[in-house]
Amino acid sequence: MWLPAYLLISLVLYFVTILILAGPLYWTVYDAYYVDGSRLAAAYFYPLALACEFEPFGRFVDWYVGLWVL
């Protein structure tokens, strides 16, 4: 009975974590996707890359990462 609640909480925490880490780890993720870096980092951040296809969310992530990269 508690399984759906635990699953939902786990998924929300996962997405919040990758969103928070996307800024400070931008160059690690960039390296993973474009410069033959860590495949584990690429796999971990792949759901965020898919979610960024949704335009308003993608703009928010771009703004957030820009805070860290500049």
Side-chain angles (χ1 to χ4, degrees), residues 17-44:
T17 302
I18 63 173
L19 179 61
I20 290 172
L21 291 177
L25 296 177
Y26 173 75
W27 293 111
T28 304
V29 175
Y30 182 86
D31 184 47
Y33 279 106
Y34 300 111
V35 192
D36 196 27
S38 170
R39 299 185 101 192
L40 181 62
Y44 184 74

Side-chain angles (χ1 to χ4, degrees), residues 9-65:
I9 291 169
S10 298
L11 286 173
V12 167
L13 286 176
Y14 171 70
F15 281 110
V16 167
T17 302
I18 63 173
L19 179 61
I20 290 172
L21 291 177
L25 296 177
Y26 173 75
W27 293 111
T28 304
V29 175
Y30 182 86
D31 184 47
Y33 279 106
Y34 300 111
V35 192
D36 196 27
S38 170
R39 299 185 101 192
L40 181 62
Y44 184 74
F45 284 97
Y46 185 69
L48 182 63
L50 287 178
C52 285
E53 295 295 324
F54 180 62
E55 187 67 28
F57 185 73
R59 279 193 226 149
F60 171 74
V61 171
D62 188 39
W63 171 79
Y64 176 70
V65 169

